[in-house]
Amino acid sequence: MPDADAIISFVDRTLYAQTGEHLNTLQRLLLQETWQETRRTYEEIGKAYGYSGSYIQQGIAPKLWRLLSRVFGEKISKKNLRSVLLGQFQQQTQQQAQQQSPQPQTPVVAAPAPPATQPALDYPTDSVPLDSPFYVVRSPLEPQCYQDILQSSALLRIKGPRQIGKTSLMNRILAQAKQAGQQTVVLNFQQAEQSILSDLNRLLRWLAANISRQLKLPAVLDEFWDQDTGSKMSCTLYMEGYLLAETQTPWVLALEEISELFDYPEVARDFLAMLRTWHEYTKVEPEWQTMRLVLVQSTESYVQLNINQSPFNVGLELALQPFTAEQVQDLAQRHQLALTPAQLAEVMQGVAGHPHLVRLLFYHLAQGTGSWSELMAGAATDTGIYHDHLHRHLGQLEKFPALRGAFAQVLQADQPIELPQVEAFRLQSMGLVQLLNNQVTVSCELYRQYFAGRLEC
């Protein structure tokens, strides 16, 4: 009996072969739930993933069953899905086995079997496109956040190391908001100059001006900015008296790479305390209830904040983790790759399920750039498939001697060690170490092999 992942992969390949489209996230979730022997009701499925039961039953399910009925040429419903798909799966398996079995010698040369349908491959970048078949859902919190962003007073916090999927998730949250008629504003703190990040007044004017521009409103900062009331109060009055007053429909303010502020602790404390105040206003002040917040950060905050002033202990937290072995196997199948147990173990040990590094490997394998042994043998070199990723980290370590020395200690140690808090958090934000109970260890074998030969240990 094939498992749910095998069936979903089979359905997705068949769907793409006939329509050129792939299953979306909700369709995959519904298929997975319906394939189980102990089927949950639509109400139970919706509750498990943060949707209303009626939305699943009346919106998602009927369209999916009609689509599958058309693709497979049989009437498919929730009740008969297992039997129909199992029969189709077994029929295809038998046909493939017959094609691969030795045939009696005849004077006729058999034509080669048609190649398997391959999803269009796009080179892995810092975020996965919204329509990509290679996006892996982080259940169960991810579906919940799609529902939460539609609620007043929403505050979602996405955190994790670089290239682990934060921007990809943020983009999907914002797409969900747009689909519901909400406006979206995205500000990336990496786009702000150092002179702005280090000055609270300039930072808040930068924030207010950019929000105005994205909401297609003229910036009238000087009408609200007052030296006597201070920049935090001026920015808050600008938000309440102008931006919120001029926008009648809900809108989402997404702040990306907010951890850039952590290099300026005093500015960070005031800015984050202001965000916490804004969030509290959304709970009690009607004029503030049209705004939702999404905060994206690369690390835990190591800025010391009063618990009642921090936005990092409220709202829904989504701490993104590396892919599990099951998710890596699923992603391999989407690339039409069949990993052996030994290869799966090698991936998990080599890159520890790092989403970007896993996708990069599967991209090159699917493209036929090199064999498995060739790609893995050159992984930790300056000419391998990971050279850009490794060079960027090496450049960062070279810029900061204290960080370089701290990571060298980690590489040299046989067991987890304790580092100064700032260095530990920064190495974690780069994804180079895993942090547990104030002790750190190197994240994966790739980093150990590459950096051990380049840092003085």
Side-chain angles (χ1 to χ4, degrees):
M1 172 72 70
D3 60 16
D5 288 340
I7 286 294
I8 292 173
S9 179
F10 163 65
V11 171
D12 189 64
R13 290 195 305 271
T14 307
L15 176 64
Y16 184 81
Q18 294 196 26
T19 69
E21 297 180 357
H22 292 278
L23 294 167
N24 62 34
T25 299
L26 275 178
Q27 289 170 335
R28 285 177 173 273
L29 290 174
L30 184 55
L31 270 179
Q32 182 175 3
E33 288 290 340
T34 308
W35 183 255
Q36 308 303 324
E37 291 187 11
T38 54
R39 297 175 187 170
R40 292 197 275 194
T41 65
Y42 289 125
E43 189 68 33
E44 291 171 336
I45 294 173
K47 184 177 181 181
Y49 295 103
Y51 296 90
S52 67
S54 59
Y55 177 62
I56 300 293
Q57 183 172 7
Q58 300 173 18
I60 303 301
K63 294 180 181 178
L64 179 58
W65 306 147
R66 287 196 297 269
L67 175 62
L68 296 185
S69 298
R70 187 169 68 251
V71 168
F72 289 100
E74 293 186 56
K75 178 68 174 178
I76 292 180
S77 65
K78 184 182 180 184
K79 291 183 179 180
N80 71 351
L81 178 132
R82 282 178 61 87
S83 61
V84 172
L85 291 187
L86 181 59
Q88 293 275 353
F89 182 85
Q90 290 174 339
Q91 181 179 354
Q92 186 192 73
T93 302
Q94 291 173 357
Q95 291 175 348
Q96 291 174 344
Q98 291 174 356
Q99 291 174 353
Q100 295 172 0
S101 62
Q103 299 296 321
Q105 292 185 353
T106 66
V108 180
V109 178
T117 302
Q118 171 66 52
L121 290 172
D122 54 329
Y123 187 81
T125 56
D126 285 344
S127 63
V128 183
L130 290 175
D131 59 350
S132 173
F134 304 115
Y135 180 75
V136 177
V137 177
R138 313 295 183 90
S139 298
L141 283 182
E142 181 172 338
Q144 180 183 343
C145 73
Y146 296 147
Q147 191 75 10
D148 283 8
I149 197 61
L150 306 182
Q151 310 302 318
S152 61
S153 302
L155 171 57
L156 306 180
R157 296 179 289 111
I158 307 171
K159 67 180 184 181
R162 181 177 170 82
Q163 293 184 316
I164 202 167
K166 301 186 300 298
T167 300
S168 298
L169 175 56
M170 180 195 74
N171 289 341
R172 282 157 177 79
I173 293 172
L174 298 182
Q176 186 75 13
K178 288 179 181 178
Q179 188 175 351
Q182 298 183 6
Q183 291 180 278
T184 61
V185 174
V186 183
L187 296 179
N188 190 323
F189 280 70
Q190 287 184 338
Q191 296 177 333
E193 293 88 347
Q194 182 177 352
S195 59
I196 291 176
L197 296 175
S198 60
D199 184 306
L200 181 64
N201 185 62
R202 291 194 63 188
L203 174 66
L204 296 185
R205 290 181 69 91
W206 174 85
L207 177 80
N210 279 284
I211 294 176
S212 302
R213 178 180 57 82
Q214 293 193 38
L215 291 176
K216 296 181 172 53
L217 295 171
V220 291
L221 278 66
D222 291 338
E223 295 183 17
F224 290 84
W225 238 259
D226 189 300
Q227 185 176 358
D228 293 330
T229 59
S231 55
K232 285 170 59 178
M233 182 57 70
S234 295
C235 188
T236 300
L237 291 173
Y238 185 81
M239 175 70 73
E240 180 179 315
Y242 180 54
L243 296 178
L244 293 173
E246 293 292 329
T247 51
Q248 302 302 315
T249 58
W251 58 281
V252 181
L253 174 58
L255 303 179
E256 193 172 9
E257 296 297 347
I258 199 170
S259 48
E260 290 291 313
L261 283 179
F262 296 165
D263 286 335
Y264 313 98
E266 292 184 4
V267 173
R269 274 192 289 268
D270 285 335
F271 182 82
L272 296 174
M274 183 188 71
L275 290 185
R276 172 62 182 264
T277 300
W278 288 3
H279 175 62
E280 295 301 327
Y281 285 165
T282 66
K283 299 178 182 178
V284 295
E285 303 292 343
E287 59 268 31
W288 282 85
Q289 291 178 3
T290 55
M291 186 188 72
R292 291 92 167 95
L293 278 171
V294 178
L295 306 181
V296 183
Q297 61 179 111
S298 293
T299 67
E300 296 275 1
S301 170
Y302 51 78
V303 177
Q304 296 299 317
L305 289 172
N306 182 295
I307 191 170
N308 295 318
Q309 296 179 325
S310 172
F312 295 137
N313 60 355
V314 291
L316 176 64
E317 177 183 278
L318 297 106
L320 299 189
Q321 302 297 325
F323 288 156
T324 63
E326 291 76 14
Q327 289 171 323
V328 170
Q329 190 72 271
D330 172 56
L331 190 58
Q333 292 174 355
R334 298 191 201 185
H335 285 79
Q336 297 191 354
L337 301 171
L339 297 188
T340 66
Q343 289 173 330
L344 178 60
E346 189 174 0
V347 172
M348 296 305 296
Q349 181 181 11
V351 298
H354 188 293
H356 177 71
L357 301 183
V358 171
R359 274 208 66 204
L360 201 56
L361 172 63
F362 291 170
Y363 169 84
H364 284 285
L365 286 171
Q367 285 285 77
T369 306
S371 67
W372 176 273
S373 58
E374 291 170 340
L375 295 175
M376 297 304 288
T381 70
D382 288 316
T383 58
I385 60 174
Y386 299 135
H387 69 275
D388 284 338
H389 177 88
L390 296 170
H391 290 171
R392 184 177 64 251
H393 280 319
L394 183 59
Q396 287 296 105
L397 292 172
E398 294 291 353
K399 287 181 183 178
F400 303 101
L403 205 59
R404 173 192 172 112
F407 190 46
Q409 293 180 45
V410 177
L411 293 171
Q412 190 177 33
D414 295 330
Q415 296 180 346
I417 63 172
E418 189 167 344
L419 292 176
Q421 187 182 52
V422 171
E423 280 74 20
F425 277 130
R426 286 180 175 173
L427 289 172
Q428 184 198 34
S429 73
M430 296 171 69
L432 294 175
V433 302
Q434 295 176 334
L435 179 61
L436 180 63
N437 298 328
N438 297 325
Q439 291 191 318
V440 299
T441 184
V442 65
S443 293
C444 61
E445 191 61 27
L446 174 71
Y447 295 153
R448 185 184 301 280
Q449 291 180 10
Y450 182 79
F451 290 107
R454 288 160 181 81
L455 304 183
E456 294 181 4
C457 300

